[in-house]
């Protein structure tokens, strides 16, 4: 075991009491989990509190569920790995246990009555509107959880809520009004927009070669795939009227108009015939697939595609990309044909030669040089530029900045009102904006904005509070762990 906290500097500050009970309120969905060690093991110790594998896995599952809701169907274990979700969950469970250790030091506790009040909040445990112990145990068992583990989790969450209550923030009317005036401050400004067309550059071949040499690893060939392909066009199933009727009765809910109304048999007949042809062809394709696997039949052609030019739907492309070299993908439907594809070889990305990379290198080099020249021009003109004047500009004045798209104007205004300088330069992709503040005044107080202003105050104060609290708790409680996070 090693002393973890004293050496670890990348300490993620979170708002501990957000979504502390989300995982038990998600309908007991089996989200992602991570096997950190054997069941019943301990992954870390915070003060006198041991963090079990079960507790860590619950934290990871909760976090995985939240990201699944954000990203939808595109979220999977691979993306979770890229986001280092395991490390994030680990840091969060450490932080929560720091707060829980703080609660212990204050003498806060959770009673059986507290747990009972929490249990009756979950519909899954109710029978005829009342908490039912048998139902409770059964539901937990179905989700591979014991009452002890579940109630220990509830106890931690209730204790976190009690700590939250100690730090409850409720800005008063004066604070809200003053911050509202500050947030919606108005400036009278002069501004001038410069863009890349305002500068001219001369590109020389020796400079291009030098730039390519310094950045050649950025210019790589695209991954390509050597494939062997067998195509099986749709084969008529010669379906009888009885076949069509039987299929319709079994799957009629799949045949609907745009308004959701189910089609009649006559309306759906042509689509049903096509579906039956596809089903029949798939069976034949599977037979050919087995023959190819047993070397009793050959592929029709050999082709090579770059990854971006694979002529398949995204779903089918994924099937091809997931097979290993030498393997054959099961038949899939593409443009009214069943395709059987073998991945003969995956050609990895390689550095492009100077000649191959020249168009890209030239474009990138020009952009770099123009950006540099644009910065120099902006610096030269800043002190005495003459531009357009606008009165009463606020953070919301995205439509007042002529010459900028709304997104560009929004970024400019955010930087303008975050700056402490009377004049400055804001960079926007291929543009820069020179600005000079001629006059400032507090915004007019608008009571209709109180709710958003109040939330801003709470968020700012909670972030500051949590940052300071975590710094204090780091020093007060020893954290030991055998887990090493990835940098």
């Amino acid at each position: 075991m090693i002393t973890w906290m004293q050496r670890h500097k990348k300490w993620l500050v979170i708002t501990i009491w957000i979504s502390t009970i989300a995982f038990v309120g998600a309908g007991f969905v089996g989200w992602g989990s991570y096997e950190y060690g054997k069941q019943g093991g301990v992954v870390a110790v915070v003060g006198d509190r041991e963090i079990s594998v079960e507790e860590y896995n619950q934290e990871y599952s909760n976090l995985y569920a939240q990201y699944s809701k954000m990203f939808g169907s595109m979220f999977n274990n691979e993306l979770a790995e890229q986001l280092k979700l395991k490390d994030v969950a680990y840091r969060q469970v450490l932080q929560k246990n720091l707060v829980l250790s703080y609660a212990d030091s204050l003498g806060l506790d959770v009673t059986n009555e507290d747990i009972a009040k929490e249990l009756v909040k979950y519909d899954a445990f109710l029978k005829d509107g009342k908490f039912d112990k048998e139902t409770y145990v059964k539901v937990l068992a179905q989700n591979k959880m014991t009452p002890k583990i579940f109630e220990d989790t509830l106890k931690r969450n209730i204790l976190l809520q009690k700590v939250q209550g100690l730090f409850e923030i409720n800005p008063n009317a004066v604070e809200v009004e003053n911050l509202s005036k500050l947030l919606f401050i108005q400036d009278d400004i002069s501004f001038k927009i410069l863009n890349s067309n305002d500068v001219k550059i001369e590109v020389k071949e020796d400079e291009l070669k030098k730039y390519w040499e310094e950045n050649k690893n950025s210019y790589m060939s695209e991954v390509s795939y050597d494939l062997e392909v067998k195509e099986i066009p749709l084969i008529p199933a010669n379906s009888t009227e009885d076949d069509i009727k039987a299929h319709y009765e079994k799957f009629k809910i799949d045949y609907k108009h745009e308004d959701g109304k189910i089609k009649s048999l006559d309306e759906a007949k042509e689509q049903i015939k096509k579906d039956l042809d596809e089903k029949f062809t798939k069976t034949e394709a599977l037979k050919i697939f087995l023959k190819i696997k047993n070397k009793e039949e050959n592929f029709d052609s050999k082709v090579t595609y770059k990854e971006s030019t694979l002529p398949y739907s995204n779903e089918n492309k994924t099937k091809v990309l997931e097979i290993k070299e030498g393997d054959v993908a099961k038949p899939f439907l593409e443009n009214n044909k069943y395709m059987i594809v073998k991945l003969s070889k995956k050609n990895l990305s390689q550095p492009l030669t100077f000649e191959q990379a020249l168009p890209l290198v030239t474009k990138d080099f020009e952009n770099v040089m123009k950006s540099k020249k644009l910065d120099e021009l902006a610096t030269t003109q800043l002190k005495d530029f003459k531009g357009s004047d606008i009165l009463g500009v606020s953070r919301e004045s995205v439509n007042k900045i002529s010459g900028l798209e709304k997104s560009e104007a929004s970024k400019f205004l955010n930087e303008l009102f975050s700056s402490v300088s009377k004049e400055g330069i804001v960079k926007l992709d291929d543009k820069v904006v020179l600005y000079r503040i001629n006059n400032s005044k507090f915004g007019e107080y608008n009571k209709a904005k109180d709710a958003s202003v109040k939330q801003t105050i709470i968020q700012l104060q909670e972030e500051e509070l949590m940052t300071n609290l975590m710094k204090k708790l780091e020093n007060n409680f020893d954290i030991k762990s055998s887990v090493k996070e990835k940098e």
Side-chain angles (χ1 to χ4, degrees):
M1 303 288 278
I2 61 171
T3 301
W4 185 89
M5 181 62 73
Q6 282 71 21
R7 297 196 304 138
H8 199 285
K9 303 301 181 186
K10 292 184 179 179
W11 186 239
L12 175 67
V13 176
I14 61 170
T15 304
I16 292 294
W17 26 78
I18 291 179
S19 302
T20 55
I21 58 173
F23 80 98
V24 292
F28 297 98
V29 177
W31 301 101
S33 62
Y34 177 56
E35 294 300 325
Y36 226 110
K38 65 180 181 179
Q39 197 78 355
V42 173
V43 297
V45 179
V46 179
D48 295 329
R49 284 182 169 269
E50 292 185 342
I51 301 175
S52 67
V53 173
E54 291 88 352
E55 183 180 348
Y56 164 76
N57 273 334
Q58 287 171 359
E59 189 70 30
Y60 180 75
S61 179
N62 186 30
L63 196 61
Y64 194 99
Q66 292 176 34
Y67 274 77
S68 292
K69 289 177 182 177
M70 284 193 294
F71 287 94
S73 59
M74 68 177 286
F75 190 75
N76 52 31
N77 286 327
E78 184 180 351
L79 186 53
E81 286 286 342
Q82 293 175 14
L83 294 172
K84 297 185 179 178
L85 226 57
K86 296 170 189 174
D87 290 344
V88 175
Y90 183 65
R91 291 196 294 274
Q92 286 192 177
V93 81
L94 287 177
Q95 287 182 303
K96 287 185 178 181
N97 276 273
L98 270 175
V99 175
L100 292 171
S101 295
Y102 175 59
D104 294 339
S105 72
L106 296 176
L108 297 178
D109 197 10
V110 177
T111 66
N112 289 335
E113 185 180 356
D114 291 329
I115 293 175
K117 287 179 179 178
E118 199 68 28
L119 286 174
V120 297
K121 294 179 181 179
Y122 299 103
D123 292 341
F125 303 149
L126 304 183
K127 186 176 182 180
D128 298 327
K130 295 181 179 180
F131 176 79
D132 182 73
K133 185 174 181 180
E134 186 179 340
T135 302
Y136 169 59
V137 173
K138 183 179 179 181
V139 169
L140 291 180
Q142 289 171 346
N143 289 274
K144 300 179 180 178
M145 188 179 291
T146 66
K148 183 181 185 308
I149 291 175
F150 183 74
E151 288 171 22
D152 283 347
T153 302
L154 275 186
K155 189 173 182 178
R156 288 192 298 270
N157 292 332
I158 294 168
L159 198 53
L160 284 170
Q161 290 171 4
K162 288 190 176 187
V163 176
Q164 177 185 7
L166 299 177
F167 297 97
E168 200 165 285
I169 297 166
N170 188 22
N172 60 44
V174 174
E175 289 177 308
V176 172
E177 182 175 343
N178 288 337
L179 184 62
S180 182
K181 292 177 180 179
L182 184 60
L183 283 175
F184 301 104
I185 194 171
Q186 294 182 348
D187 289 342
D188 299 338
I189 67 169
S190 299
F191 77 98
K192 182 178 181 179
I193 301 170
L194 303 175
N195 61 53
S196 56
N197 295 328
D198 295 322
V199 296
K200 303 296 181 185
I201 60 168
E202 182 182 352
V203 178
K204 298 179 181 178
E205 186 173 339
D206 58 333
E207 292 176 332
L208 283 175
K209 282 189 175 179
K210 182 181 177 183
Y211 179 80
W212 171 73
E213 286 287 349
E214 293 171 348
N215 299 277
K216 62 170 61 178
N217 288 336
S218 299
Y219 301 98
M220 306 288 287
S221 65
E222 190 176 349
V223 175
S224 64
Y225 300 85
D226 295 341
L227 307 177
E228 294 185 61
V229 180
K230 180 83 171 180
E231 296 184 2
I232 302 100
L234 286 187
I235 303 169
N238 297 320
S239 303
T240 65
E241 291 296 321
D242 288 342
D243 293 333
I244 294 170
K245 184 176 181 180
H247 184 87
Y248 176 77
E249 291 300 327
K250 192 173 182 180
F251 301 105
K252 66 170 67 176
I253 195 170
D254 294 335
Y255 300 96
K256 297 179 180 179
H257 292 287
E258 290 183 2
D259 61 4
K261 185 179 179 181
I262 295 176
K263 293 181 178 179
S264 67
L265 175 60
D266 286 340
E267 291 171 330
K269 183 175 289 187
E270 289 305 313
Q271 183 60 48
I272 291 172
K273 288 175 65 177
K274 184 174 184 295
D275 290 346
L276 290 172
D277 288 348
E278 288 180 4
K279 183 179 179 181
F280 179 77
T281 307
K282 183 178 182 179
T283 301
E284 296 303 307
L286 284 169
K287 293 177 184 177
I288 297 172
F289 169 75
L290 292 175
K291 287 183 179 180
I292 288 175
K293 293 273 285 185
N294 294 326
K295 303 188 185 304
E296 297 172 3
E297 190 160 339
N298 298 320
F299 288 95
D300 295 332
S301 61
K302 295 181 179 181
V303 291
T304 298
Y305 293 113
K306 294 179 180 178
E307 187 166 326
S308 62
T309 61
L310 280 168
Y312 309 126
S313 68
N314 288 335
E315 182 182 353
N316 291 334
K317 188 184 295 186
T318 300
K319 292 176 182 178
V320 173
L321 297 181
E322 285 180 347
I323 59 178
K324 298 177 182 178
E325 285 191 8
D327 285 354
V328 183
K330 286 185 178 180
F332 56 83
L333 185 65
E334 185 75 38
N335 291 330
N336 295 321
K337 298 177 183 177
Y338 271 93
M339 314 292 291
I340 303 175
V341 177
K342 175 182 177 180
L343 175 58
S344 300
K345 185 181 178 184
K346 179 179 179 179
N347 305 301
L348 299 178
S349 182
Q350 299 291 331
L352 297 173
T353 64
F354 175 69
E355 287 74 19
Q356 290 171 328
L358 186 57
L360 291 173
V361 171
T362 301
K363 182 179 179 181
D364 290 346
F365 182 71
E366 286 179 348
N367 288 338
V368 168
M369 292 302 296
K370 282 187 175 183
S371 178
K372 183 179 177 181
K373 291 285 186 183
L374 200 56
D375 289 346
E376 292 173 355
L377 180 62
T379 302
T380 301
Q381 292 192 11
L382 179 61
K383 290 298 179 185
D384 55 5
F385 78 89
K386 296 186 185 301
S388 302
D389 296 330
I390 310 180
L391 302 179
V393 173
S394 71
R395 293 174 184 269
E396 300 173 315
S397 303
V398 289
N399 295 319
K400 284 189 175 183
I401 316 298
S402 58
L404 296 181
E405 300 290 334
K406 282 189 176 181
S407 59
E408 295 173 327
S410 179
K411 182 179 179 182
F412 165 66
L413 291 170
N414 281 335
E415 294 203 25
L416 172 69
F417 287 101
S418 299
S419 174
V420 294
S421 301
K422 187 177 180 180
E423 60 185 18
I425 300 169
V426 176
K427 297 181 181 180
L428 303 169
D429 295 329
D430 62 341
K431 302 173 186 174
V432 295
V433 183
L434 313 179
Y435 71 84
R436 182 182 303 116
I437 300 174
N438 302 316
N439 186 39
S440 291
K441 64 178 180 179
F442 285 116
E444 294 293 329
Y445 172 58
N446 183 348
K447 190 173 180 61
K449 297 178 179 178
D450 277 5
S452 62
V453 173
K454 187 174 183 178
Q455 190 57 44
T456 300
I457 294 174
I458 292 172
Q459 183 178 342
L460 291 172
Q461 290 181 339
E462 278 192 346
E463 287 177 1
E464 182 66 20
L465 182 152
M466 285 305 301
T467 300
N468 293 330
L469 179 61
M470 283 300 162
K471 287 179 181 177
K472 178 178 174 61
L473 298 184
E474 290 173 30
N475 296 322
N476 286 6
F477 298 100
D478 188 34
I479 295 183
K480 296 180 179 179
S481 172
S482 58
V483 176
K484 185 177 180 181
E485 292 184 70
K486 297 177 182 177
E487 295 297 325

